[in-house]
Amino acid sequence: MSYSASDSLPHSLPAVTLDDVRGAQKMLSGVARVTAMAHSHHLSQLLGTPVHLKCENLQRTGSFKLRGAYVRIAGLLPEERAAGVVAASAGNHAQGVALASSLLGVRSTVFMPVGAPLPKVAATRDYGAEVRLHGQVVDETLAAAQEYARETGAVFIHPFDHPDVVAGQGTLGLEILEQCPEVRTIVVGIGGGGLAAGIAVAVKAVRPDVRVIGVQAEGAAAYPPSLAAGHPVPVAHPATMADGIKVGRPGDIPFELVRNLVDEVRTVSEDALSSALLLCLERAKLVVEPAGASPVAALLSEPGAFEGPVVALLSGGNVDPLLMQRILTHGMAAAGRYLSLRLRLTDRPGALATLLGVLSVADANVLDVSHVRTDPRLGLTEAEVELHLETKGPAHCAEVEAALRSAGYTVID
């Protein structure tokens, strides 16, 4: 689904300018990597136009967040640095603040949600921050960090709602234009909006003809209702596997820039996110977290909607290995490469072997079999089998089910 800001919305002066972004780029020289731009042959074929992946998942700390955090902290006054900084994040901003603070010699405390991925918590500590776990979602964690700032005098480093942070993230827009000058569409994930806002500031000032499209997860999409209302509208209970864009309310500064400069905001399903992550791993050989894969999810969801050449920004690659395993399984199921089904068969010696023979002929790989013979739902001579199969796609799933029915088995929906 997609949503566009209304042309009738009142336009306010932007809080961030191209000069701010260019200044941030100079500040980040030698600190943030100029990450690679990789051509995707598979996506190019799918869209019928060149598609490139901006690999910010390969940035220091594994995401774009270092850019904004460093610019913000580097701009503090000496007395502010002496008081230390505090931040709140599900993981990527946490690591960006921790590393930026260490590079600049500033003490940092980072609040993270109780359910934050363990590798992100460990990495944040390794970069030098004191980590405190609080709240179930980023908004609750933000409130705790802001209270800590009031109590201690530490400077709060917002993950997206500050001009310096937006300017730092906007350096990615300049890099994209330098690496792919022929680009016509840039697709970027949106949580609070700092990244999309910064990129739009830079890109629209230099190349107003380039479309900037934001992407949100359907279960945490605060921008569509906010754009419709003309002001930030919170989502009560954001829910998505993409923790990097699981933000309940747009930032005030990013929102103004997004509604004035971003051409469109699209939403994607959880199935699309998991399929995109799987594609990045299999076809591009890139480890990308769900939030980072959201632009690819948008391309997969509606390939004909994007004018090329297209650049999809892979904003981060920090993903818990256990979550990655679950997401890949989900992605393979969404792609029709897993098939789970139950069926009835006559309970006699060799019946299960005969069934497996049918599956072998159908070229389905059996991953797991559960054979139930003592259930009150079953007749005296019946057994029920639950199968988990590895298949080759939706068409193959249909062929396997047809083969089973043709062999006389009752497939239970």
Side-chain angles (χ1 to χ4, degrees):
M1 300 177 68
S2 67
Y3 304 81
S4 300
S6 169
D7 291 337
S8 64
L9 289 174
H11 290 251
S12 60
L13 293 174
V16 183
T17 67
L18 176 61
D19 286 342
D20 295 326
V21 179
R22 285 179 169 157
Q25 189 176 43
K26 292 179 182 178
M27 189 179 294
L28 288 168
S29 178
V31 176
R33 297 170 181 155
V34 177
T35 48
M37 182 79 73
H39 175 73
S40 172
H41 180 70
H42 177 76
L43 288 172
S44 297
Q45 282 191 319
L46 181 66
L47 270 68
T49 190
V51 177
H52 306 278
L53 305 176
K54 174 62 171 168
C55 302
E56 193 67 2
N57 58 311
L58 303 179
Q59 182 58 260
R60 297 177 71 177
T61 75
S63 88
F64 71 97
K65 288 289 190 176
L66 172 65
R67 297 173 184 262
Y70 188 91
V71 173
R72 172 75 172 102
I73 298 169
L76 295 178
L77 298 173
E79 57 269 27
E80 291 176 318
R81 292 194 187 193
V85 300
V86 60
S89 166
N92 288 340
H93 179 61
Q95 293 174 69
V97 168
L99 178 57
S101 299
S102 295
L103 293 173
L104 293 164
V106 177
R107 184 180 71 258
S108 62
T109 302
V110 176
F111 285 75
M112 303 180 74
V114 173
L118 293 180
K120 293 186 179 184
V121 175
T124 302
R125 290 195 175 108
D126 288 344
Y127 286 126
E130 177 190 348
V131 175
R132 300 191 180 193
L133 301 178
H134 183 92
Q136 299 299 319
V137 295
V138 173
D139 299 273
E140 295 173 357
T141 310
L142 277 170
Q146 290 168 331
E147 178 62 24
Y148 176 89
R150 287 189 290 270
E151 292 176 352
T152 65
V155 178
F156 178 67
I157 308 299
H158 201 285
F160 47 80
D161 205 9
H162 191 279
D164 290 346
V165 174
V166 173
Q169 322 302 29
T171 59
L172 267 165
L174 296 179
E175 284 184 23
I176 289 171
L177 294 181
E178 291 163 3
Q179 293 174 306
C180 186
E182 68 277 15
V183 64
R184 296 291 299 171
T185 303
I186 297 172
V187 190
V188 54
I190 295 186
L195 177 60
I199 287 175
V201 167
V203 170
K204 292 297 186 178
V206 179
R207 288 277 307 281
D209 59 303
V210 174
R211 285 178 58 79
V212 178
I213 297 177
V215 182
Q216 291 206 288
E218 287 178 356
Y223 265 89
S226 298
L227 291 172
H231 58 82
V233 175
V235 173
H237 302 289
T240 175
M241 70 175 75
D243 61 300
I245 53 175
K246 187 180 176 181
V247 178
R249 181 187 185 278
D252 293 329
I253 292 171
F255 175 76
E256 288 299 316
L257 295 168
V258 167
R259 76 166 180 168
N260 291 337
L261 298 174
V262 171
D263 296 281
E264 183 183 0
V265 175
R266 306 179 72 85
T267 62
V268 293
S269 68
E270 299 296 285
D271 281 354
L273 286 168
S274 56
S275 295
L277 189 147
L278 179 63
L279 183 145
C280 288
L281 185 63
E282 288 191 328
R283 297 301 183 106
K285 314 307 176 190
L286 292 168
V287 175
V288 182
E289 62 189 277
S294 59
V296 175
L299 301 186
L300 294 176
S301 298
E302 196 172 349
F306 303 90
E307 180 185 359
V310 176
V311 172
L313 174 58
L314 309 182
S315 59
N318 295 315
V319 57
D320 182 349
L322 294 176
L323 176 62
M324 169 75 88
Q325 184 178 23
R326 294 198 297 270
I327 292 172
L328 291 178
T329 300
H330 186 89
M332 292 184 74
R337 291 167 56 186
Y338 277 147
L339 175 62
S340 297
L341 48 81
R342 292 183 300 125
L343 49 84
R344 296 275 173 88
L345 69 164
T346 302
D347 187 15
R348 64 172 184 270
L352 184 57
T354 301
L355 168 63
L356 296 179
V358 173
L359 295 172
S360 176
V361 171
D363 203 19
N365 184 32
V366 179
L367 300 175
D368 187 46
V369 177
S370 176
H371 192 198
V372 179
R373 307 168 76 179
T374 55
D375 189 299
R377 296 173 303 163
L378 300 174
L380 185 62
T381 61
E382 287 184 322
E384 186 173 289
V385 175
E386 183 174 343
L387 296 165
H388 298 277
L389 310 173
E390 183 180 10
T391 52
K392 301 174 183 178
H396 188 212
C397 288
E399 290 172 7
V400 171
E401 290 198 42
L404 290 170
R405 289 191 169 94
S406 178
Y409 294 103
T410 301
V411 178
I412 304 170
D413 295 329

